[in-house]
Amino acid sequence: MRSHLISLSTLLFVVDHAHAAIFPVQARTRPNGIYARADVNASTSSNGIPVQNTHNAEYISNITLGGVSIPVMLDTGSSDLWVATNVPGAKDLGKSVTLSYAVGQAAGDIHTAQLQFDDYTVNDQAFLMVTNTSSFSTDIGSQGYNGLVGLGPNSGSVIYQKIDDSTGDAVLNRIFSQNSTSQNFISFTLSRLGDPMDNIPGTFTISQVIPGFENITSMPKLSVEKVHKLTDADQHWQIYTDKNGVIGPDGEPIEISSIVPSAPDGQLVVVLDSGFTLPQVPRAMSDAIYGRVKGAEFDTSQQVWTVPCDQLLNLAFVFGGVTYPVHPFDVATSDFNYTDANGNPKCIGAFQPITSAFSLLGEYDLILGMAFLRNTYTLLDFGDFVKDASTDPGDPFVQLLPLTNNASAHTDFVQVRLNGVDTTGDAAHALLPASQMQHSPETEGEKKKEREEEILSRWPYILVGCLAFVLLCVGLCVWRCCCRRGKGVKGKKGKGGQAAGILGNNPVYQPLSEPAPPAMNMHPMGQSSYSDPYGRR
Ligand SMILES: *[C@@H]1O[C@H](CO)[C@@H](O)[C@H](O)[C@H]1NC(C)=O
Ligand SMILES: *[C@@H]1O[C@H](CO)[C@@H](O)[C@H](O)[C@H]1NC(C)=O
Ligand SMILES: *[C@@H]1O[C@H](CO)[C@@H](O)[C@H](O)[C@H]1NC(C)=O
Ligand SMILES: *[C@@H]1O[C@H](CO)[C@@H](O)[C@H](O)[C@H]1NC(C)=O
Ligand SMILES: *[C@@H]1O[C@H](CO)[C@@H](O)[C@H](O)[C@H]1NC(C)=O
Ligand SMILES: *[C@@H]1O[C@H](CO)[C@@H](O)[C@H](O)[C@H]1NC(C)=O
Ligand SMILES: *[C@@H]1O[C@H](CO)[C@@H](O)[C@H](O)[C@H]1NC(C)=O
């Protein structure tokens, strides 16, 4: 069952990259002159490494593998390293792996080679050398990267599962376990193109804080919400929002109930995933953010809200008592050359209804991707995700330092989107009353997934229930057999006959040798297509 779960979870991980890999095709950057080019020579190696920003849709750093420098996407939502380039001298372990992405399949053999990442050197790092990219729908090289480094927990690494010992460990696991003098954390900032006030370069660090942002260490430590042991291949960097932890454009909390059975009342489970361009949120939340904007339209083919670009929308998340405002540029993005049916440019509601990445196992509610992560300096501490690291044995946690000040973001917005004239208070920009809110249509596929989730997310309880039932039945049988033997001696009378009548001769339980109930096989997950509206373009 374990391997079954793992192969399914691979599906879950892989959708993460679909968006990032596909968006740039449509991406456009703002007209000349207003770039924050801060990411160009951001930092020296001792302060981490620069993160390059492609169209606000991909964040990329260089690694060196077998002496070759390779730009790779930084992905906190997965845990494997793959490169689509030849690494001379790499050792082929003769095990092939296929990772399915919405852009195509990354297939190849697992190899090992020396890796340099930031200041760290790892010998014999396992990675997937993808030799055939013909099924990729985009030329990833033209987007500025030639591979991907997963920055998630080791348990999610497909290579690790395949090799089945520590030589297959994910990159960070290797770094943290060989270097027990450091703290097991990574941290990063993501730059924002098209924002004249963005002066924060994209930087990625291992085991050190970016100078000037030391305050992150005094931010609340947000515990990583751990998924069930049996499905730990699905473990992501996931945390709880506070109660009423999503503040909508009207300044009021957006109240949505969690699909995660273990989530405390009023709190939501959020995955922090730098591999997603657009955050994925419950449909009702997306509607609450955009559905009250005058002129908002839902594009059903692309499954996004579109709003006039001159509409300022505030949005904020609350974690550990701290409010994290999202820049209005990130709430409604002009990064994608979107035009409506009449050819008029519109902005895309970046907080998109979650469809393909919906968690059928009920493990999370929303995925906060790049459009959120640009607003925080993010620190991810692996703690005991790394088993053999002696110095940082605590629970994994997340710390977030807010980087967006919504007053200056407002000024920013007026300058860029409103040509310097603040019309945000006009009647034309007032939100519609809640009673006139538009709702986006839910697809049949989504409804089906929601029903499936209600069962699948409760599988540990169902399993326990089934086991209890089986034990009860076995107990009854044993009891009945004993009674019969007893009756044989005492004569055919008494309660034994009634008990036999209740159970009859046909056992009502499933024998243990038969296949487990459907919920345990999780058929529906394997059937879901994870089709992504953006993926086909
Ligand atoms: C980047 O490099 C240029 C010239 O090499 C220098 O003037 C500038 O200060 C550097 N910027 C940063 C942020 O280091
Ligand atoms: C990666 O390396 C190439 C070639 O050395 C360089 O041009 C590019 O700027 C580097 N990218 C980053 C994000 O450091
Ligand atoms: C381990 O960490 C220490 C301190 O950060 C550093 O000096 C050393 O080079 C690291 N070792 C390796 C093998 O990277
Ligand atoms: C590459 O993969 C495609 C299918 O994804 C296959 O049709 C093609 O033959 C492969 N090319 C090589 C050279 O293996
Ligand atoms: C850092 O945090 C301390 C205490 O929370 C605060 O007094 C100080 O102003 C902060 N500094 C910056 C640069 O945010
Ligand atoms: C973006 O839109 C403009 C017109 O609004 C068009 O000329 C241009 O080709 C588009 N770019 C892309 C990449 O679609
Ligand atoms: C800042 O955000 C809060 C809450 O989202 C909002 O009520 C307030 O109006 C915002 N301030 C500005 C200047 O946009």
Side-chain angles (χ1 to χ4, degrees):
M1 191 174 88
R2 189 174 168 79
S3 64
H4 192 66
L5 286 171
I6 286 156
S7 64
L8 291 170
S9 68
T10 312
L11 270 174
L12 272 183
F13 285 126
V14 296
V15 287
D16 297 9
H17 320 306
H19 304 262
I22 286 152
F23 266 105
V25 180
Q26 308 179 311
R28 143 187 91 147
T29 41
R30 302 203 132 263
N32 309 324
I34 49 171
Y35 281 105
R37 296 303 307 153
D39 50 304
V40 176
N41 52 348
S43 51
T44 66
S45 61
S46 62
N47 291 331
I49 55 174
V51 179
Q52 178 200 314
N53 177 345
T54 303
H55 308 310
N56 280 345
E58 275 141 11
Y59 290 89
I60 297 158
S61 288
N62 285 333
I63 60 166
T64 304
L65 206 49
V68 183
S69 172
I70 304 169
V72 290
M73 252 180 76
L74 301 175
D75 182 17
T76 61
S78 68
S79 309
D80 286 298
L81 171 63
W82 61 265
V83 296
T85 188
N86 186 47
V87 177
K91 189 172 144 207
D92 190 341
L93 299 189
K95 294 191 179 194
S96 54
V97 163
T98 302
L99 304 169
S100 300
Y101 294 80
V103 273
Q105 294 197 319
D109 275 5
I110 300 174
H111 286 68
T112 58
Q114 189 187 67
L115 168 78
Q116 275 134 343
F117 190 26
D118 191 5
D119 273 349
Y120 295 83
T121 300
V122 172
N123 290 319
D124 302 318
Q125 172 64 50
F127 66 99
L128 185 65
M129 195 152 103
V130 179
T131 43
N132 182 353
T133 54
S134 65
S135 70
F136 284 14
S137 57
T138 52
D139 174 11
I140 59 173
S142 71
Q143 306 304 326
Y145 68 103
N146 224 338
L148 176 146
V149 61
L151 306 171
N154 206 40
S155 62
S157 163
V158 178
I159 293 174
Y160 165 69
Q161 305 292 354
K162 183 89 180 177
I163 302 247
D164 211 21
D165 71 41
S166 62
T167 56
D169 279 350
V171 169
L172 291 166
N173 215 79
R174 290 292 309 277
I175 290 175
F176 293 138
S177 51
Q178 84 175 17
N179 199 323
S180 57
T181 60
S182 306
Q183 276 179 282
N184 300 343
F185 72 82
I186 57 171
S187 77
F188 57 88
T189 52
L190 306 180
S191 65
R192 181 183 300 110
L193 298 176
D195 176 357
M197 297 224 243
D198 181 39
N199 53 3
I200 297 169
T203 304
F204 173 82
T205 72
I206 298 175
S207 294
Q208 57 190 349
V209 167
I210 301 174
F213 296 96
E214 289 81 3
N215 262 16
I216 193 163
T217 57
S218 51
M219 298 309 288
K221 290 186 177 173
L222 309 167
S223 306
V224 172
E225 195 255 354
K226 291 204 181 168
V227 302
H228 195 276
K229 257 203 172 59
L230 278 176
T231 54
D232 70 352
D234 293 336
Q235 180 71 58
H236 289 94
W237 288 108
Q238 55 194 58
I239 54 178
Y240 287 121
T241 64
D242 284 11
K243 200 168 179 167
N244 295 327
V246 186
I247 313 296
D250 62 356
E252 297 296 323
I254 298 175
E255 290 180 39
I256 305 275
S257 5
S258 178
I259 63 164
V260 182
S262 58
D265 196 32
Q267 294 178 254
L268 296 170
V269 179
V270 165
V271 170
L272 301 174
D273 188 341
S274 67
F276 259 100
T277 303
L278 298 188
Q280 305 288 299
V281 303
R283 184 173 287 279
M285 183 181 290
S286 190
D287 291 354
I289 299 170
Y290 305 107
R292 289 171 60 190
V293 173
K294 289 178 186 151
E297 281 175 319
F298 189 75
D299 178 330
T300 47
S301 73
Q302 310 233 11
Q303 286 291 317
V304 283
W305 277 102
T306 64
V307 294
C309 288
D310 62 0
Q311 177 77 42
L312 183 143
L313 290 172
N314 284 311
L315 179 67
F317 289 82
V318 190
F319 299 106
V322 179
T323 300
Y324 296 87
V326 179
H327 199 296
F329 287 165
D330 294 325
V331 181
T333 174
S334 62
D335 290 334
F336 310 100
N337 216 2
Y338 187 89
T339 51
D340 67 12
N342 303 321
N344 300 317
K346 296 278 280 288
C347 277
I348 282 183
F351 290 74
Q352 185 181 26
I354 189 165
T355 53
S356 57
F358 179 77
S359 174
L360 277 171
L361 289 182
E363 288 170 336
Y364 53 82
D365 296 292
L366 53 160
I367 301 174
L368 293 183
M370 305 169 196
F372 172 79
L373 293 169
R374 280 193 282 275
N375 298 283
T376 56
Y377 171 36
T378 305
L379 184 152
L380 307 175
D381 187 296
F382 282 69
D384 64 7
F385 276 159
V386 181
K387 290 284 174 288
D388 44 357
S390 51
T391 51
D392 192 0
D395 286 330
F397 63 85
V398 172
Q399 284 174 302
L400 300 171
L401 186 69
L403 297 181
T404 298
N405 169 312
N406 76 350
S408 54
H410 189 115
T411 313
D412 229 2
F413 186 90
V414 171
Q415 185 187 334
V416 173
R417 296 260 183 101
L418 301 175
N419 295 317
V421 185
D422 190 348
T423 53
T424 57
D426 289 3
H429 293 108
L431 296 173
L432 295 169
S435 58
Q436 291 174 31
M437 180 170 110
Q438 295 186 64
H439 295 270
S440 60
E442 192 177 18
T443 63
E444 281 308 313
E446 264 177 287
K447 287 179 194 157
K448 180 165 166 264
K449 282 186 188 175
E450 277 161 24
R451 285 192 299 270
E452 287 165 1
E453 186 273 341
E454 283 183 8
I455 297 166
L456 289 174
S457 64
R458 285 159 182 83
W459 69 265
Y461 313 100
I462 293 171
L463 176 66
V464 169
C466 289
L467 279 179
F469 183 67
V470 167
L471 284 178
L472 185 70
C473 293
V474 168
L476 272 175
C477 284
V478 169
W479 174 75
R480 197 172 66 162
C481 290
C482 292
C483 283
R484 281 218 170 130
R485 253 200 321 251
K487 276 176 256 157
V489 176
K490 290 180 188 169
K492 293 183 179 179
K493 281 184 183 175
K495 290 171 192 167
Q498 283 166 2
I502 291 164
L503 275 179
N505 293 322
N506 308 315
V508 294
Y509 59 88
Q510 223 178 7
L512 283 173
S513 57
E514 282 189 11
M520 292 308 302
N521 287 334
M522 292 174 220
H523 293 303
M525 284 193 67
Q527 286 158 6
S528 41
S529 56
Y530 298 98
S531 60
D532 181 313
Y534 281 96
R536 287 184 226 107
R537 294 185 168 76

